[in-house]
Amino acid sequence: MANRERPLSPHLQVYAWQVQMVTSILHRTTGIILVVGSFIVAWGLLALASGPEAWTTFTGCTRSAIGFLILFGWSWALSFHLINGIRHLVQDAGYAYKIQAFVRNSWISIFGSLALTVLIWVVAMMQRGGA
């Protein structure tokens, strides 16, 4: 008879967290965030097409502290998903499969996305005096 006390497959408590696991989970999570954030972009486009009152309402929401935090998080998700997607394309081409390269490229995805997000917002703030 089978012993029912042990799990049928390894669970997260069996594995030690590694940067490769984190970037894999983040890639999936940022994909979901991008889908949800696309509704905000659609709302902005509809507000722009609807007239000045709708646009004022939209910009009022996006210029609030919570709105800024949401837009900053969405832009980070976009940056991470882009950089990590490029990393996946390189691996799909058959490169960077050694463990050292895999770990290095995972860290590049994380820190590169943070740098790209800051760059996007610095340029946005310099162009318009505030996003």
Side-chain angles (χ1 to χ4, degrees):
M1 219 131 115
N3 184 359
R4 299 280 182 205
E5 294 177 18
R6 62 187 180 108
L8 298 176
S9 63
H11 294 274
L12 286 177
Q13 71 265 21
V14 174
Y15 298 107
W17 282 89
Q18 298 175 356
V19 70
Q20 304 93 309
M21 289 174 67
V22 173
T23 55
S24 177
I25 293 167
L26 279 176
H27 192 75
R28 289 170 174 83
T29 304
T30 55
I32 294 168
I33 291 169
L34 290 176
V35 169
V36 173
S38 296
F39 292 115
I40 296 172
V41 172
W43 175 34
L45 292 173
L46 288 171
L48 186 60
S50 296
E53 292 121 15
W55 180 249
T56 302
T57 302
F58 175 75
T59 57
C61 290
T62 57
R63 289 180 185 227
S64 69
I66 293 174
F68 175 79
L69 185 64
I70 290 170
L71 288 176
F72 190 86
W74 187 77
S75 61
W76 172 78
L78 180 64
S79 299
F80 180 82
H81 205 77
L82 173 69
I83 292 173
N84 204 48
I86 292 169
R87 179 178 74 94
H88 278 285
L89 286 174
V90 169
Q91 289 176 334
D92 288 344
Y95 302 103
Y97 270 110
K98 291 186 179 179
I99 293 175
Q100 296 85 4
F102 205 91
V103 170
R104 181 190 67 235
N105 294 338
S106 295
W107 284 112
I108 288 172
S109 293
I110 293 170
F111 289 115
S113 66
L114 293 172
L116 182 59
T117 303
V118 168
L119 179 68
I120 289 168
W121 280 94
V122 165
V123 169
M125 296 291 185
M126 288 175 56
Q127 293 294 319
R128 298 286 179 198

